[in-house]
Amino acid sequence: MTAISPRLKHEVKDLALAPLGRQRIEWAGREMPVLRQIRDRFAQEKPFAGLRLVACAHITTETAHLAIALKAGGADALLIASNPLSTQDDVAASLVVDHEIPVFAQKGEDNETYSRHVQIALDHRPNIIIDDGSDVVATLVQERQHQIADLIGTTEETTTGIVRLRAMLKDGVLTFPAVNVNDADTKHFFDNRYGTGQSTLDGIIRATNILLAGKTIVVAGYGWCGKGTALRARGLGANVIVTEIDPIKAIEAVMDGFRVLPMIEAAPQGDLFITVTGNKHVIRAEHFEVMKDGAIVCNSGHFDIEIDLKHLASQAKEIKQVRPFTEQYQLVSGKSVIVIGEGRLVNLAAAEGHPSAVMDMSFANQALAVEYLVKNQGKLEPGLHSIPTEVDQEIARLKLQAIGISIDSLTPDQIEYINSWTTGT
């Protein structure tokens, strides 16, 4: 095992897990060719030399490749977990042992530990923050205003985090540039839809081993994550009901062939409930009361507040683990409700998160967003900024090239036609 500098601080479960983590990181890299090309360029150009970077993210094999790419670019990087159940302990160990990247993350860490890790991240005095859910940024703004002067900017790739940043912007406290990675086409079209769709059902199946064919599955929310989840559930033979608050998304779900109902009407019909809204208490007291005995609930949104588990626990006479990451709440009414992954991200709590091929594009966006912030230091106004279109297009081009697919290009005559208002016939 590689000797670790005594100055390298870390807090991981067991450094002896590093060989397994190394093997799994290498396996994930097979399907991450775009990020590999970016890493190779970073290694030559060193765009982040001398900069301190903090990443609050799911510590997975795919995140490892992002961290390795950023360190190759010269960043003094430190990682913490963005979710108590999403850390892969062997990956965390490998990042410390094999790449000398400080990691503060353990699967199953409690909220107190998580909050302490956020403080450790801010003690690093970051120039760049990569955030999943904006907890580090929010803590910086609320508790460490004096450190904002150190900050070049932040990147955010979760829907929940973007909602928080927009609220911060509205309140006038977002006084530095933030790049909205989540809304990049090569992120949300693929990561949110195909990644969440597959990995959510993967987590559910690993945790429960239930047959989805013939089940009635209720998907709360029809954003890109909800679209992917509903699509994959139907593909496995489920009868899917969608709940929504947005009339446009509700119409879209109807025209995509799904039943759309209010949650109170869907609750008695569902066998399995999946929340993907980014809001709180989407499933709550009045819904639990009318659910079937043995109904299963889980969440694939970023925070564990979409299901009102505090109320559910208050109505339970017994809570017991029936399978790994699966708990049965036996209610005083005589019914039971099954909760997967403690209401946290089911795809990471009970499985391995998104497939590497999808995260290749998402983390390419993250890496290039960091480079964009650094290259434009002092030029970007405070507030939310989109990934430049040319960056989005380049990531898609590199991905197509990596998987051996060619596309057409415009002829000079076609370019002239679409750029002239006088043509039309």
Side-chain angles (χ1 to χ4, degrees):
M1 183 178 292
T2 304
I4 303 171
S5 167
R7 296 188 301 274
L8 180 63
K9 295 182 179 180
H10 60 271
E11 195 169 300
V12 300
K13 183 177 181 180
D14 185 356
L15 292 178
L17 296 172
L20 177 59
R22 183 187 317 127
Q23 183 180 34
R24 294 179 62 235
I25 291 169
E26 291 173 356
W27 176 262
R30 294 158 55 98
E31 295 207 347
M32 302 185 76
V34 176
L35 190 58
R36 182 170 61 248
Q37 292 178 65
I38 293 170
R39 180 199 66 203
D40 292 345
R41 177 171 66 80
F42 282 178
Q44 293 180 345
E45 299 175 4
K46 302 292 182 184
F48 314 128
L51 296 179
R52 297 181 300 276
L53 182 146
V54 160
C56 178
H58 304 296
I59 310 302
T60 66
T61 54
E62 295 77 22
T63 304
H65 283 280
L66 173 62
I68 292 164
L70 294 169
K71 184 177 181 182
D76 178 5
L78 180 148
L79 270 63
I80 67 171
S82 63
N83 188 287
L85 287 180
S86 65
T87 297
Q88 296 169 359
D89 289 318
D90 54 347
V91 171
S94 176
L95 285 171
V96 174
V97 172
D98 299 318
H99 302 282
E100 294 196 336
I101 296 173
V103 179
F104 294 81
Q106 296 182 17
K107 190 176 182 74
E109 65 187 48
D110 58 26
N111 289 334
E112 181 182 351
T113 302
Y114 171 71
S115 297
R116 181 167 56 81
H117 288 169
V118 170
Q119 296 295 334
I120 289 172
L122 290 173
D123 288 343
H124 194 56
R125 300 190 68 85
N127 307 119
I128 297 286
I129 297 172
I130 296 176
D131 226 352
D132 272 9
S134 288
D135 270 350
V136 176
V137 169
T139 305
L140 174 73
V141 170
Q142 291 170 330
E143 301 178 15
R144 301 206 189 191
Q145 282 279 327
H146 63 282
Q147 285 187 223
I148 291 178
D150 296 334
L151 196 63
I152 296 171
T154 181
T155 69
E156 176 61 63
E157 71 160 330
T158 71
T159 303
T160 300
I162 294 302
V163 169
R164 293 183 82 181
L165 287 174
R166 286 181 175 141
M168 292 170 67
L169 182 63
K170 181 181 177 182
D171 288 348
V173 298
L174 187 61
T175 58
F176 43 85
V179 178
N180 181 353
V181 173
N182 186 66
D183 286 357
D185 288 345
T186 46
K187 196 279 180 182
H188 69 263
F189 282 160
F190 304 96
D191 178 322
N192 295 24
R193 176 168 46 176
Y194 299 114
T196 303
Q198 177 170 314
S199 64
T200 295
L201 298 185
D202 181 25
I204 292 166
I205 291 169
R206 290 196 200 196
T208 64
N209 197 32
I210 63 170
L211 179 68
L212 298 186
K215 293 286 194 302
T216 296
I217 297 181
V218 179
V219 177
Y222 203 66
W224 285 106
C225 292
K227 289 180 176 72
T229 302
L231 179 66
R232 292 294 177 251
R234 180 167 63 188
L236 286 172
N239 301 304
V240 179
I241 298 173
V242 169
T243 71
E244 250 301 339
I245 60 165
D246 185 323
I248 294 175
K249 291 178 181 177
I251 293 172
E252 185 178 9
V254 170
M255 293 193 176
D256 284 344
F258 298 108
R259 295 170 62 201
V260 175
L261 294 173
M263 181 60 79
I264 194 63
E265 295 181 22
Q269 301 183 42
D271 300 303
L272 169 66
F273 297 79
I274 306 167
T275 57
V276 274
T277 70
N279 212 323
K280 68 179 291 187
H281 295 177
V282 180
I283 297 179
R284 50 190 182 271
E286 62 265 34
H287 306 132
F288 292 128
E289 289 176 5
V290 296
M291 283 182 181
K292 297 176 181 179
D293 181 27
I296 300 172
V297 298
C298 64
N299 169 53
S300 210
H302 187 75
F303 291 121
D304 62 340
I305 57 175
E306 300 207 21
I307 303 167
D308 188 355
L309 292 180
K310 288 184 179 179
H311 172 80
L312 186 63
S314 73
Q315 300 300 303
K317 60 183 181 182
E318 182 186 30
I319 303 172
K320 66 177 181 179
Q321 183 173 349
V322 289
R323 288 174 60 92
F325 310 113
T326 306
E327 294 178 313
Q328 177 177 282
Y329 287 64
Q330 191 66 47
L331 306 181
V332 293
S333 65
K335 294 192 304 184
S336 65
V337 175
I338 311 297
V339 178
I340 308 175
E342 300 177 12
R344 301 188 185 277
L345 281 158
V346 68
N347 57 343
L348 284 154
E352 298 178 57
H354 293 359
S356 304
V358 168
M359 296 311 298
D360 187 29
M361 289 187 286
S362 294
F363 285 156
N365 272 292
Q366 283 281 32
L368 296 180
V370 171
E371 184 181 40
Y372 178 71
L373 283 170
V374 172
K375 283 184 174 180
N376 291 279
Q377 183 178 359
K379 301 175 186 176
L380 297 175
E381 294 292 324
L384 273 172
H385 299 266
S386 298
I387 291 280
T389 302
E390 58 270 22
V391 172
D392 226 350
Q393 292 281 331
E394 177 64 7
I395 290 170
R397 187 191 66 78
L398 289 172
K399 191 67 172 179
L400 286 170
Q401 183 182 67
I403 60 178
I405 293 177
S406 300
I407 61 174
D408 287 323
S409 57
L410 293 170
T411 66
D413 186 46
Q414 289 171 328
I415 294 172
E416 180 182 0
Y417 177 81
I418 63 173
N419 286 309
S420 172
W421 64 270
T422 61
T423 58
T425 59

